[in-house]
């Protein structure tokens, strides 16, 4: 039977065994008339918070538990009543609710928490409710101070600064809400794996990017014509550069080109002044003039590579250089073949004499240069060079340069020029041991050896450099190879003409050299 507990609400009682000689035959229904009467008796669940913090926490959990059970119980009986009305059943009294019928409603309860904020569940069934951030200050002789200092709504953290100022009652510094200090401009936040979202590392912005605010989650890329400062907080314009006449390398290359140009002009004047001497007339005087003029143009063509690139200079620099060099190499090849044929014609009964003359030499020069002219014309028709700017080779610098258009055609032009040089070197090398006190085939062999060495080393050096360094390499190769031809072929002749005129005789040139 029931026995009420003293000092507690009437709905709280103990089950006491019936006295001797008495029985009880029914269990009290949970929602019987007596039970309903007892449940209507109100007893406050929220009591005044005691100064003891443990008691306050206990009361809070008791309230939450009873509130949850009441909602679930109400939902369960509401569901039973609706089902009966739907089935048309009319019964007096109520049926006892079994525990297994109560569990689903307890699991699926839907109500607000103590702060009257709706609860939410994520896909894993975890509570992701909008939460209030409450500061509860418990003092020894006063009631606890409860202040709402912020909220966490839909994954957004909202802080009330005015409420935070009241935390000074603790006479302590505010707790840190982050694992690290703020990320300064020039850095960006990178979350730490396996740690809360407030814990992150400050990573310097990558090259080419900046951040101008604190706690930036990603850096901003600078425009192509700008680059970041060392601190990565500002983009500044890049410096424009090219191989100019004012810089030291430009001045050195221009000085060397002018010196070689003047030297070639002086040699041409000497050859014109002494055009009737045997050493000038030997081995086709006209070929020497053509070669000297082509070398003059070779030295001048290097000026197309220096200075600010423009449309005209970009179109002319490679075509003029390649055509003039092809004429020079073709002239050297014609001189070499002339030397060989002149030696063969000196033998009795040899019919090679009829091939000697200006016609053969002119044919060699025209055919050699015509092939290069055709390749250059094709290059200009398919993909001509044009002014361009290199924004990425060097940080903080915009390099103005000429884009070759078709790289394939550029290397075809170089390949054809080297093809002529290899043929000329081979013929001169085979004729190097021809008898004579002054064998020009030996001089041509040395000149072509220098020429080929320069351009063979040019290709890997050119490919391994960028920006204006590529231009410097090409200008140096033009000057070095042209100087090799000029020095090896014409300096020995000028030495005889100016310093040893006694050797500038036909008898000396015809002397046989004993082996």
């Amino acid at each position: 039977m029931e026995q009420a507990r003293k000092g507690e609400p009437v709905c709280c009682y103990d089950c006491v065994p019936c006295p001797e000689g008495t029985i009880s035959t029914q269990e009290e229904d949970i929602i019987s008339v007596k039970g309903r009467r007892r449940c209507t008796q109100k007893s406050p669940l929220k009591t005044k918070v005691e100064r003891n913090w443990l008691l306050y926490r206990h009361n809070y959990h008791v309230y939450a538990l009873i509130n949850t059970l009441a909602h679930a119980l109400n939902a369960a009986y509401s569901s039973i009543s609706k089902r009966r009305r739907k089935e048309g059943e009319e019964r007096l009294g109520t049926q006892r609710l079994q525990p297994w019928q109560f569990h689903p409603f307890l699991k699926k309860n839907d109500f607000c928490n103590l702060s009257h904020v709706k609860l939410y569940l994520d896909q894993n069934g975890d509570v992701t409710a909008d939460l209030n951030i409450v500061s509860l200050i418990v003092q020894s002789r006063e009631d606890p101070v409860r202040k709402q200092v912020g909220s966490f709504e839909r994954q957004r953290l909202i802080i009330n600064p005015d409420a935070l100022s009241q935390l000074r009652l603790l006479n302590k510094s505010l707790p840190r809400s982050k694992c690290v200090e703020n990320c300064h401009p020039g850095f960006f936040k990178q979350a730490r794996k396996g740690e809360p979202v407030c814990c992150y590392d400050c990573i310097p912005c990558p090259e080419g990017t900046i951040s101008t605010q604190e706690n930036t989650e990603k850096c901003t890329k600078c425009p192509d014509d700008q680059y970041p400062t060392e601190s990565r907080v500002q983009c500044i314009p890049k410096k424009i550069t090219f191989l100019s006449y004012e810089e030291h390398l430009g001045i050195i290359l221009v000085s060397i080109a002018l010196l070689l140009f003047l030297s070639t002009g002086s040699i041409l004047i000497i050859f014109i002044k002494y055009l009737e001497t045997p050493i000038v007339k030997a081995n086709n005087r006209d070929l020497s003039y053509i070669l000297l003029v082509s070398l003059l143009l070779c030295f001048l063509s290097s000026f197309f590579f220096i200075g600010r690139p423009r449309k005209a200079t970009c179109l002319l620099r490679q075509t003029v250089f390649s055509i003039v060099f092809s004429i020079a190499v073709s002239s050297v090849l014609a001189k070499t073949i002339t030397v060989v044929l002149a030696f063969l014609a000196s033998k009795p009964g040899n019919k090679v004499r009829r091939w000697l003359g200006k016609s053969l030499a002119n044919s060699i020069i025209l055919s050699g240069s015509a092939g290069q002219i055709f390749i250059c014309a094709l290059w200009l028709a398919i993909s001509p060079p044009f002014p361009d700017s290199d924004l990425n080779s060097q940080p903080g610098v915009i390099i103005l340069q000429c884009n070759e258009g078709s790289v394939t055609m550029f290397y075809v032009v170089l390949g054809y020029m080297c093809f002529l040089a290899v043929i000329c070197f081979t013929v001169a090398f085979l004729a190097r041991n021809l008898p004579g006190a002054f064998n020009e085939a030996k001089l041509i062999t040395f000149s072509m050896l220098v020429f080929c060495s320069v351009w063979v080393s040019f290709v890997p050096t050119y490919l391994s450099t960028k920006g204006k360094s590529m231009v410097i390499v090409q200008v140096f190769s033009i000057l070095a190879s042209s100087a090799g031809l000029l020095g090896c072929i014409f300096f020995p002749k000028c030495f005889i003409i100016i310093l040893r005129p006694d050797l500038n005789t036909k008898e000396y040139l015809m002397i046989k050299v004993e082996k």
Side-chain angles (χ1 to χ4, degrees), residues 77-95:
Y77 278 101
S78 297
S79 177
I80 294 175
S81 299
K82 291 179 182 179
R83 187 173 67 253
R84 286 179 177 176
R85 286 197 298 269
K86 185 177 180 181
E87 295 175 357
E89 296 182 8
E90 293 184 3
R91 295 184 184 178
L92 294 175
T94 57
Q95 183 181 1

Side-chain angles (χ1 to χ4, degrees), residues 13 26 64 85-86 221 230 248 376 385 419 460:
Y13 52 84
Q26 294 182 352
R85 286 197 298 269
K86 185 177 180 181
K221 185 178 181 182
E230 285 189 28
H248 295 300
C376 291
F419 170 73

